[in-house]
Amino acid sequence: MTESTYTKLRVTRQDRVATVTIDNPPVNILDVTLMGEVRRFLASMHNDPDTRVIVFESADPEFFIAHVDMTLGEQPEALNELQRDVPENLNPFQAFAEALRAQPQVTIVKLAGLARGGGAEFVLAADMAFAAEERAGLAQCEALMGIIPGGGATQYLGQRMTRGRVLEAILGADLFDAKTAERYGWINRALPADELDGFVSRIAANIAALPDGIITAAKRAVPHAAPGDGFTRESEGWMALVFQPAVGQLMANQLKAGAQTRDGERDLESLLRGVIARSA
């Protein structure tokens, strides 16, 4: 796939840095098309010697990746498509995040807005993430949809935080501001919004200009912690919930209340909790 044929991504290159701008209006929902395009882009870059750093950003200043498309449960063909070429021990959302973790280039998320659910897992899967103070936010909001995270968050968060903080993120299901996310270890650092672009550009350029072999050696020497059977436990827990009729009805009601619209996504946690309260 050539860069001109992507429909949800814009790719630019300069001095061994590829910048991928995610553009999937209205709120950058992580749908089948976006997941497919990201995976195809990563595959196309895997053996590219002229690209050393990949920076992911959003065309929308409010939303990085909102979360996984809540209508996927109503699209069996889409779910079957996602499952193609996925390792047996992973579900498609885990495989999506693991593809990012396996990328030989250094991957950096520039987080200017909100990332929830699968979007927050994408941030976790990247090598580094830098966020704008006052504007960026992260949440694992799946519990408010009647499920648990299914794209690696239960494992990735545990590599960065204490167990208590992981459970706070998953069960508390609140939106974390950038400074708190930095303090908990979810991201590398929070920066004033007007400094984010310059900082990410500088660190990406500095890494891309390193002598040959440094990036490969460093990434090999600093491996990801192996999840072991954690992915299996996560996937089993997720699947035990996500296909229950009550969960489908809950998500349908949340969509009717405004989830996946710009207004609804700005304070999604309150919207989801409101629907739960009215359903009780």
Side-chain angles (χ1 to χ4, degrees), residues 68-263:
V68 171
D69 185 358
M70 293 170 67
T71 70
L72 277 179
E74 304 167 8
Q75 305 174 49
E77 292 181 2
L79 288 172
N80 289 337
E81 175 66 22
L82 285 176
Q83 195 62 47
R84 288 177 54 191
D85 302 321
V86 169
E88 289 185 6
N89 62 323
L90 301 176
N91 70 46
F93 306 106
Q94 293 169 337
F96 177 72
E98 284 292 278
L100 180 61
R101 292 224 303 176
Q103 200 65 20
Q105 292 89 0
V106 172
T107 56
I108 299 175
V109 167
K110 181 166 66 176
L111 187 66
L114 303 179
R116 294 181 170 103
E121 288 169 320
F122 188 91
V123 174
L124 282 165
D127 291 321
M128 306 176 196
F130 304 96
E133 295 175 359
E134 309 302 332
R135 286 171 37 189
L138 290 152
Q140 297 299 158
C141 58
E142 291 92 342
L144 302 177
M145 301 174 184
I147 58 176
I148 64 169
T154 65
Q155 306 306 300
Y156 300 155
L157 286 171
Q159 296 166 18
R160 301 187 180 200
M161 305 178 187
T162 63
R163 183 173 183 270
R165 286 180 169 179
V166 175
L167 290 173
E168 177 190 349
I170 293 173
L171 299 179
D174 283 329
L175 185 68
F176 280 54
D177 62 72
K179 288 184 177 179
T180 304
E182 178 194 66
R183 183 159 54 88
Y184 274 42
W186 203 324
I187 60 172
N188 287 68
R189 67 172 82 183
L191 298 153
D194 61 358
E195 297 179 14
L196 180 63
D197 287 347
F199 179 88
V200 172
S201 293
R202 181 177 64 81
I203 194 169
N206 287 349
I207 293 170
L210 291 171
D212 291 346
I214 297 294
I215 291 171
T216 299
K219 291 192 69 167
R220 183 177 297 140
V222 187
H224 292 292
D229 64 350
F231 275 157
T232 300
R233 296 195 305 272
E234 178 186 80
S235 192
E236 288 174 349
W238 174 76
M239 290 186 68
L241 295 167
V242 73
F243 295 114
Q244 291 185 7
V247 170
Q249 186 60 58
L250 175 62
M251 289 191 188
N253 292 341
Q254 290 168 335
L255 286 164
K256 288 179 183 177
Q260 300 193 181
T261 67
R262 292 190 70 82
D263 286 344

